[in-house]
Amino acid sequence: MDEFDVVVIGGGPAGENILLRCTECGLSIAVVEQELLGGECSYWACIPSKTLLRPGAVLEAARRVPGAREAITGTLDVDAALARRDEIVGNWHDDGQVEWLEGAGGTLVRGHGRIVGDRTVEVEQPDGTTRRLVARKAVVLATGSHSWMPPVDGLDAIRTWDSRDITSAKHVPRRLLVLGGGVVASEMAQAWKRLGAEEVTIIERSGRLLGREEPWAAEELRSALEAEGITVRTNAEAKAASREGDDGPVTLTLEDGNTLVGDELLVAVGRRPNTRDVGLETVGLEPGKNVEVDDRLRATGVDGDWLYAIGDCNGRSLLTHMGKYQARIATDVIRGRDATAWADHRAVPRVVFTDPQVAAVGLTEAQAREQGIDVRTVSYGVGDVAAGGTSGVGITGTAFLVVDETRGVIVGATFTGPDIGELLHSATVAVAGEVPLDTLWHAVPSFPTFSEVWLRLLETYGV
Ligand SMILES: Cc1cc2nc3c(=O)[nH]c(=O)nc-3n(C[C@H](O)[C@H](O)[C@H](O)COP(=O)(O)OP(=O)(O)OC[C@H]3O[C@@H](n4cnc5c(N)ncnc54)[C@H](O)[C@@H]3O)c2cc1C
C-alpha cells in the first residue's frame, strides 16, 4: 500500500497542474495515467489541432500583405506540416512529460485507476498487477472526456473519424464530411481544407455554427469558411450513415432525404466525461455522468470532502486553461486555503482558432439579458483601426462588448479577426476585474496595435 497526500486519476493538463502545484507546496502526489501523460490536450486536441491550423493561417496572413504575397509561389507542403504536427506531439510518446513529472517530484503510476472507497484508489497496471494508493488528504478525478457518437442509424457500424483521428491523420482526405458545427468541427474543417481537401462539408443540425457564441460572430465565421470553398449545411440533421467496405466512400443521409458522400466522416458533435469506469458507484455517485462539484471543486454528495473533480470530467468548462485554473483552486483548497472557482461562472475565455478567430469571454448578449442584466452593447470594426491598414489589406473583424449599464462594467466581450485571440486577455482582465469603463479609459493602447479597438469601443460607448 502506498500513501501520498494527494492521488490524482488522470494525467492530462488538469491532473498535471495539480501535480505541479502540490509539489511546489511540499505535498506528496501520485498521478495515475492509463495512456499518455499530457492527456488529450497534448496529443489529440489543442496542440495538434492548432499546429495543423497554423500553416494555412500563416499563408493567408502573407496573402494579405502586398510585397509578401508575391513571394508565395507554391502551395502548402503537407508532408512538412504533418511532420511538424508529429514532432510537436512527440510522435505520441510521453517521455518528455514523464521526465518533467519526475523532475517536479511527483510519482507516476501507469494504469487504469478506480476509486474503491474512502480516499483509496486501485490501479490496474499494464502488467496485470494491482496497486493500491491511499490519499491522506485528497483524491482528485481529472479523467477528461471523449468524443460522443450520436444515435444516427448505422454510424456505430462504420469506420468514422473522431477528434483523435482527425488530429492524428496521416493523409488529407479528398472529400471530408464533418458532422457538427462547433469548435472542433469548424477548426478541423478549415485546417484540412487548407491542407488540401478538395471538398469539405459541415453538417450542423441547428441553424448556425458555434451555438454558444454570439450569432453575428458565427455568421462571420460561416461566410469566411464558405468563401474558401467549405460547404456549410445548417438545419441539416443526419439520419443514417453507411460506408462501402472499410475504405470505400461514406454516405450520410439527411432527414430531408438528401445524401452526402465523402471519403472520411468526422464526427464532432460533443463530448462525454470519462467517468464510466472510475469507481464512482463506490462513493454513491452515478458513473458516466459529469461529476458535480461545488465551487471548491469538491464532489457534491461525498462525505468527508476528500474527493475532488477538475477539468472536463466535471463538465463546467471543457477547456484546457479552465481545467488548469480548477487545478490551482483545488490545490489551494486541499492545502487549507479559502479559494473558490468563481471565474467558471463569469469570466471563461474561449478562442476558436479558425481564420478569422472568434475569441470571447464572459457572457454573450443573450446570456446577459437572460440574467436580467441591464445590457447595452457596443461594436467596432477590428480592421478600422490603424493596425488594420499597417498589417495588410482586407483585414476585417468585429470587436463587441456587452456592458452592464447599471454597474458600468463589461460582462462579456467577443472579437473576430485574424489572430485576434491575442487581444482576448485584455477583455478577460476587464471582465474578471470588473474594471469600470471610466477606469478603462486610462488603459491607453499602444499605437498602432489592434488593441486600439478598445479606445474606439469606449468612444463609441460614450465614455
Ligand atoms: C480537437 C480538440 C481541440 C481542442 N482545442 C482546445 C484548445 O485549443 N484550447 C483549449 O483550451 N481546449 C481545447 N480542447 C479541449 C481540451 O482538450 C480539454 O478541455 C482538455 O484536454 C481537458 O483536460 P483534462 O485534464 O480535464 O482531460 P484530458 O486532457 O482528457 O486528460 C485526461 C487524462 O486522464 C486519463 N484517464 C482517464 N481515465 C483514467 C483512469 N481511469 N485511470 C487513469 N487515467 C485515466 C486519460 O488517459 C487522459 O490522459 C480541445 C479539444 C479537442 C477535442
Side-chain angles (χ1 to χ4, degrees):
M1 196 163 77
D2 301 303
E3 244 183 59
F4 297 86
D5 290 322
V6 178
V7 175
V8 185
I9 308 181
E16 282 190 327
N17 268 260
I18 283 271
L19 173 117
L20 187 65
R21 300 290 286 187
C22 283
T23 51
E24 275 171 3
C25 65
L27 295 174
S28 65
I29 178 163
V31 175
V32 183
E33 174 53 53
Q34 65 186 8
E35 276 187 280
L36 295 177
L37 187 65
E40 210 67 19
C41 172
S42 300
Y43 305 98
W44 299 284
C46 326
I47 299 295
S49 62
K50 267 76 263 182
T51 309
L52 288 169
L53 280 159
R54 190 67 185 152
V58 170
L59 203 59
E60 276 311 305
R63 283 207 180 96
R64 294 185 196 108
V65 184
R69 68 161 67 122
E70 287 73 14
I72 304 171
T73 53
T75 52
L76 280 184
D77 182 336
V78 177
D79 290 342
L82 297 186
R84 172 63 186 147
R85 183 273 320 270
D86 294 354
E87 184 188 12
I88 203 162
V89 301
N91 281 299
W92 294 275
H93 293 294
D94 62 0
D95 318 21
Q97 308 230 29
V98 174
E99 202 176 307
W100 165 82
L101 175 143
E102 288 169 352
T107 299
L108 175 63
V109 181
R110 297 267 189 197
H112 183 87
R114 289 183 194 90
I115 299 161
V116 289
D118 197 3
R119 289 163 217 266
T120 310
V121 171
E122 228 169 56
V123 185
E124 199 180 310
Q125 302 186 102
D127 63 5
T129 60
T130 299
R131 185 167 168 186
R132 185 169 271 239
L133 309 172
V134 173
R136 281 185 285 266
K137 290 179 180 291
V139 172
V140 184
L141 271 180
T143 50
S145 64
H146 59 273
S147 292
W148 179 63
M149 245 330 145
V152 172
D153 266 2
L155 196 59
D156 55 358
I158 62 168
R159 191 179 59 73
T160 54
W161 276 1
D162 64 9
S163 54
R164 282 192 166 203
D165 300 306
I166 191 125
T167 51
S168 60
K170 301 284 186 200
H171 72 277
V172 182
R174 192 174 73 75
R175 298 169 299 180
L176 176 64
L177 300 178
V178 179
L179 193 56
V183 181
V184 173
S186 303
E187 287 183 352
M188 290 299 89
Q190 188 175 52
W192 289 94
K193 181 75 175 75
R194 288 182 169 187
L195 284 169
E198 286 171 28
E199 290 174 24
V200 176
T201 307
I202 294 177
I203 303 110
E204 162 59 40
R205 69 191 292 188
S206 77
R208 49 173 288 204
L209 300 176
L210 305 183
R212 292 188 189 151
E213 301 302 345
E214 297 287 357
W216 60 264
E219 212 34 61
E220 283 187 21
L221 175 61
R222 178 184 185 142
S223 302
L225 295 180
E226 288 178 338
E228 57 192 75
I230 296 170
T231 304
V232 180
R233 299 184 73 130
T234 45
N235 297 310
E237 176 109 32
K239 187 174 170 221
S242 60
R243 189 190 270 281
E244 285 173 30
D246 196 39
D247 275 329
V250 57
T251 303
L252 201 61
T253 307
L254 305 182
E255 285 288 353
D256 64 10
N258 282 317
T259 55
L260 301 167
V261 179
D263 299 302
E264 297 296 347
L265 169 62
L266 168 66
V267 181
V269 293
R271 318 256 325 151
R272 291 293 179 272
N274 293 330
T275 55
R276 189 160 294 287
D277 185 22
V278 292
L280 287 183
E281 63 288 354
T282 65
V283 290
L285 300 180
E286 196 176 343
K289 295 267 166 67
N290 290 331
V291 180
E292 297 279 331
V293 292
D294 62 19
D295 279 352
R296 292 181 169 78
L297 287 319
R298 294 179 303 213
T300 50
V302 177
D303 289 341
D305 288 342
W306 57 271
L307 183 62
Y308 293 69
I310 58 170
D312 282 13
C313 71
N314 68 24
R316 281 164 80 107
S317 271
L318 275 63
L319 290 161
T320 286
H321 47 275
M322 295 315 288
K324 288 159 77 167
Y325 165 70
Q326 291 168 9
R328 297 193 286 273
I329 299 292
T331 312
D332 279 349
V333 176
I334 291 167
R335 61 196 286 219
R337 290 187 173 172
D338 188 21
T340 56
W342 56 260
D344 277 1
H345 303 300
R346 67 167 201 249
V348 175
R350 38 205 198 268
V351 177
V352 186
F353 287 83
T354 43
D355 180 12
Q357 293 185 350
V358 176
V361 61
L363 304 176
T364 60
E365 179 182 357
Q367 288 167 340
R369 292 195 189 283
E370 268 164 35
Q371 292 189 14
I373 292 171
D374 178 16
V375 167
R376 188 172 147 205
T377 64
V378 58
S379 65
Y380 201 85
V382 161
D384 297 336
V385 296
T390 56
S391 303
V393 289
I395 291 176
T396 58
T398 306
F400 178 86
L401 300 179
V402 181
V403 178
D404 178 338
E405 277 273 79
T406 310
R407 294 190 301 139
V409 297
I410 298 166
V411 293
T414 298
F415 304 98
T416 56
D419 288 327
I420 208 71
E422 294 301 334
L423 205 62
L424 187 63
H425 196 60
S426 52
T428 306
V429 171
V431 172
E434 300 188 317
V435 184
L437 293 180
D438 289 342
T439 305
L440 280 179
W441 186 242
H442 298 278
V444 182
S446 293
F447 180 85
T449 61
F450 279 105
S451 295
E452 265 204 307
V453 80
W454 275 103
L455 201 50
R456 302 284 96 83
L457 285 165
L458 295 175
E459 285 165 352
T460 309
Y461 184 83
V463 173

